[in-house]
Amino acid sequence: MKPFLLLATRADDAAADDEYNAFLRSGSLTPSSLVRMRMESGPLPALELDKYSGVLVGGSPFNTSDPVCQKSPVQVRVEAELAALLDRIVAADFPFLGACYGVGTLGAHQGAVIGRRFGEPISQVQVSLTESGVRDPLLAGLPAQFQAFVGHKEACTELPPDAVLLASSVTCPVQMFRIKSNLYATQFHPELDVAGLLTRIEVYRNAGYFPIDQLEQVRARTRAASVDRPGEIIANFVRRYARR
């Protein structure tokens, strides 16, 4: 099988490695079948898409909607490289799944309005599928409503013109969408389980995702959460697009 490619942007090793392992686990992949490139550590090399089965993008501390003057040189470079790669991915309708940061990257690339109106603190939310979501192969086997983990400062306030809304929630109307036939983005984190979210809470405790004086409450709510279905989206992606 041609490997899948995970594009990562987390500078903290604990969060980066936990994210990689979460994608491995959710997709029943091995290190040889999921190649990781950490874009924050250096320029993205030239990529031949035909060498891969599909492209995954993990979450990120970057916010697409921040003013350029507030972005670090690393973020500016990463965004430019992702935009250039997305030019090719979208043109080819090449299999793509972006988790959380995928909304900011694929969404912005395709004309979405990204802003802070529908940001969600680190929490468990109920995600509801639209009629299109119920029929979509990447959501096959999932119930019409399921629990998922979120934690983001920005979100899509207006879909790209040709996007299909697949899932929503009360606090964030755009939780998942599709472009063309094979390009997907989720606002929730399909790869995250309780242990993974606890790792991110620790790593990003001072990053503004929740008031620091509520740290113990956030940890307690996470430990009590029951989230076990979103990983099936990654498994469906792998099964649908794996190729030789």
Side-chain angles (χ1 to χ4, degrees):
M1 183 187 78
K2 292 183 178 182
F4 288 85
L5 173 64
L6 174 62
L7 298 177
T9 59
R10 299 184 186 277
D12 186 279
D13 287 342
D17 291 344
D18 190 79
E19 177 181 72
Y20 179 59
N21 288 328
F23 276 101
L24 288 174
R25 186 168 56 251
S26 296
S28 297
L29 294 164
T30 65
S32 63
S33 60
L34 181 62
V35 175
R36 177 177 60 165
M37 294 187 182
R38 292 183 62 172
M39 298 183 68
E40 87 291 343
S41 66
L44 190 67
L47 295 175
E48 296 182 39
L49 291 177
D50 191 54
K51 291 185 176 180
Y52 301 98
S53 288
V55 174
L56 297 157
V57 169
S60 179
F62 300 149
N63 291 299
T64 302
S65 62
D66 284 349
V68 174
C69 63
Q70 295 179 14
K71 296 178 180 180
S72 69
V74 171
Q75 181 175 352
V76 171
R77 172 183 59 78
V78 165
E79 289 180 351
E81 292 174 346
L82 279 172
L85 182 60
L86 281 168
D87 286 344
R88 298 164 54 203
I89 287 174
V90 173
D93 197 13
F94 188 79
F96 175 91
L97 173 60
C100 195
Y101 192 43
V103 169
T105 53
L106 178 62
H109 184 273
Q110 291 297 291
V113 176
I114 308 297
R116 297 210 171 203
R117 179 180 176 187
F118 296 113
E120 295 173 297
I122 290 177
S123 57
Q124 172 184 333
V125 300
Q126 180 171 276
V127 174
S128 299
L129 301 185
T130 64
E131 291 184 8
S132 295
V134 170
R135 296 192 300 268
D136 194 275
L138 232 61
L139 292 158
L142 275 81
Q145 295 182 324
F146 58 88
Q147 301 295 310
F149 285 128
V150 298
H152 53 99
K153 298 174 183 177
E154 63 180 9
C156 182
T157 61
E158 185 177 327
L159 278 171
D162 297 322
V164 177
L165 181 65
L166 301 177
S168 184
S169 70
V170 172
T171 48
C172 184
V174 178
Q175 285 287 355
M176 184 174 182
F177 64 83
R178 187 187 72 242
I179 301 287
K180 294 188 172 181
S181 296
N182 303 309
L183 313 172
Y184 294 86
T186 70
Q187 187 63 77
F188 59 90
H189 284 276
E191 82 285 3
L192 268 184
D193 58 12
V194 169
L197 185 54
L198 287 171
T199 295
R200 293 190 197 176
I201 289 169
E202 184 61 31
V203 170
Y204 298 114
R205 60 192 294 177
N206 295 309
Y209 290 99
F210 54 86
I212 190 60
D213 61 355
Q214 295 181 16
L215 175 61
E216 289 307 320
Q217 295 98 305
V218 173
R219 284 173 171 161
R221 287 197 301 268
T222 299
R223 293 189 185 101
S226 178
V227 174
D228 57 5
R229 301 304 298 268
E232 295 172 33
I233 295 169
I234 299 171
N236 286 340
F237 185 81
V238 169
R239 280 193 294 268
R240 186 180 185 198
Y241 295 115
R243 61 197 182 98
R244 298 186 180 278

